[in-house]
Amino acid sequence: MIELTDVSKAYGSVQALSGANLNVAAGEIVGLLGPNGAGKTTMIKILTGYLQPDSGTVRVDGVDVLNERQLAQSKIGYLPENAPLYPELSVQNYLQMIARLRNVPEADQAAFISDAVLAVGLEGHLTRPIGTLSKGFRQRLGLAQAILHKPRLLILDEPTVGLDPTQIVEIRNLIRELAKSSTVLFSTHILPEVEMLCDRVVILINGEIKADSRLTELEQTTNAVLVLSDSVPDIQNSLMQVPGVQRVEAFDTRDGLPAYRIFGSPDVDINPLIFNLAAQHDWPVRELKSDVRLLEAVFTELTTAA
């Protein structure tokens, strides 16, 4: 659905994107994550045909965005950070205008508008002037204009910015529903949004893609966590004898049980080795599992190294 190949863009001496490569398959929900100024909005503007890259190729659903811009844009629904709304128009008049701009056949416009309104929960607000809507309902209307023409690809740039916690949950649920019929590229710098919504995460830092994988793979480590029902003398020294174990850190669980985070080398699966050692010495094991890093830890690690 998305193919970016060696895409670069500079603003004077500032390199906003540097040789970016990205492939997104149909049906995926992909989170584009990065700090402010990382190049997320630049990438989205290039994808949607609003900005010309300095080099590279861009395709959406097989269409070359640079050479067939209007055809590519017809396949995209786009919600920018600030939705393009007109406060003096009513919700209905605005959506009718969008339907015409999107070349929806006149005979189908009423049905398309109705589907979009129902999808985002705007029924009952059609006659209201946009200027009287709350921030949350304006975001709903922004989503409605993005999906009105039933796009193959939905691109959302910071869709929950400025919303209160209740509105964030509502918009998050809407996006999850919309993803059932469209591929979604979801840009944000809010880590919990990615964890809640996305199957896959792309981390962009200083114009370069530093990570691109499924969320579960990104957070997975070669480390282990061992929780005991009771303390065992000199257990840390015993664990250090396991092949592949590099470091052992003790901590207590919320229940006050003794626990250990065991750091392993990348080329060794230490879990079965620890299990065999525990069985051999009859340790009172409550739990043994692979450790995972929170997305926050992964993000911090990458931004610190940049």
Side-chain angles (χ1 to χ4, degrees), residues 99 104-105 107-117 144 147-150:
V104 176
D108 297 329
Q109 286 181 11
F112 277 51
I113 290 171
S114 177
D115 288 347
V117 165
I147 65 171
L148 190 146
H149 58 298
K150 304 185 186 302

Side-chain angles (χ1 to χ4, degrees), residues 27-29 77 79 115-121 139-148 150-156 159 170-186 197:
E28 285 192 281
I29 308 177
L79 176 62
D115 288 347
V117 165
L118 290 173
V120 302
Q139 285 295 86
R140 287 172 181 263
L141 182 56
L143 282 170
Q145 66 80 24
I147 65 171
L148 190 146
K150 304 185 186 302
R152 296 266 292 151
L153 172 64
L154 187 58
I155 297 179
L156 310 174
E170 291 173 351
I171 296 299
R172 184 188 297 154
N173 290 337
L174 284 174
I175 293 170
R176 195 174 287 114
E177 284 299 311
L178 296 173
K180 293 179 180 179
S181 56
S182 298
T183 302
V184 175
L185 180 66
F186 174 71
L197 281 169

Side-chain angles (χ1 to χ4, degrees), residues 3-302:
E3 298 174 74
L4 261 69
T5 306
D6 295 328
V7 172
S8 295
K9 178 65 181 179
Y11 302 102
S13 61
V14 178
Q15 193 70 41
L17 282 180
S18 180
N21 292 280
L22 177 64
N23 287 278
V24 176
E28 285 192 281
I29 308 177
V30 177
L32 181 59
L33 181 63
N36 290 328
K40 303 187 301 298
T41 298
T42 295
M43 179 179 285
I44 285 175
K45 286 182 177 179
I46 290 172
L47 268 173
T48 52
Y50 287 95
L51 189 64
Q52 191 86 0
D54 296 332
S55 60
T57 59
V58 185
R59 291 183 177 274
V60 169
D61 199 21
V63 177
D64 189 319
V65 176
L66 307 183
N67 295 319
E68 299 179 89
R69 182 164 57 106
Q70 287 191 331
L71 178 58
Q73 288 175 335
S74 71
K75 298 172 177 286
I76 300 170
Y78 177 34
L79 176 62
E81 186 173 346
N82 297 304
L85 306 178
Y86 297 86
E88 69 277 8
L89 294 181
S90 71
V91 169
Q92 183 170 359
N93 288 340
Y94 172 74
L95 291 177
Q96 287 171 339
M97 178 187 73
I98 295 297
R100 291 193 294 270
L101 289 172
R102 283 295 192 175
N103 295 318
V104 176
E106 189 172 351
D108 297 329
Q109 286 181 11
F112 277 51
I113 290 171
S114 177
D115 288 347
V117 165
L118 290 173
V120 302
L122 274 175
E123 60 272 27
H125 298 273
L126 288 175
T127 59
R128 289 186 59 184
I130 293 172
T132 68
L133 297 176
S134 68
K135 173 70 172 176
F137 276 103
R138 289 199 299 272
Q139 285 295 86
R140 287 172 181 263
L141 182 56
L143 282 170
Q145 66 80 24
I147 65 171
L148 190 146
H149 58 298
K150 304 185 186 302
R152 296 266 292 151
L153 172 64
L154 187 58
I155 297 179
L156 310 174
D157 190 4
E158 305 282 1
T160 60
V161 68
L163 301 183
D164 65 37
T166 300
Q167 293 168 336
I168 288 174
V169 172
E170 291 173 351
I171 296 299
R172 184 188 297 154
N173 290 337
L174 284 174
I175 293 170
R176 195 174 287 114
E177 284 299 311
L178 296 173
K180 293 179 180 179
S181 56
S182 298
T183 302
V184 175
L185 180 66
F186 174 71
S187 167
T188 184
H189 64 278
I190 303 172
L191 301 182
E193 291 301 304
V194 174
E195 293 177 317
M196 290 286 185
L197 281 169
C198 302
D199 306 314
R200 175 179 159 203
V201 61
V202 174
I203 298 179
L204 189 64
I205 298 173
N206 295 332
E208 297 183 0
I209 294 176
K210 296 294 186 180
D212 180 2
S213 65
R214 299 192 69 80
L215 195 56
T216 52
E217 295 170 351
L218 191 65
E219 295 176 333
Q220 190 65 51
T221 72
T222 56
N223 306 330
V225 172
L226 175 66
V227 181
L228 304 178
S229 300
D230 201 359
S231 59
V232 172
D234 207 31
I235 188 173
Q236 288 184 249
N237 285 333
S238 297
L239 289 168
M240 285 297 298
Q241 306 309 309
V242 174
V245 171
Q246 298 177 330
R247 190 168 87 253
V248 178
E249 291 181 359
F251 67 98
D252 290 334
T253 67
R254 291 181 180 178
D255 300 329
L257 298 175
Y260 303 89
R261 181 166 285 105
I262 306 153
F263 296 84
S265 59
D267 56 340
V268 178
D269 183 1
I270 61 175
N271 275 278
L273 302 178
I274 294 170
F275 177 83
N276 291 336
L277 181 66
Q280 179 183 344
H281 293 283
D282 199 25
W283 290 344
V285 175
R286 172 69 70 89
E287 184 179 17
L288 174 62
K289 63 180 181 181
S290 295
D291 192 21
V292 295
R293 298 177 294 179
L294 295 176
L295 181 58
E296 181 179 1
V298 178
F299 185 73
T300 300
E301 180 182 309
L302 291 172

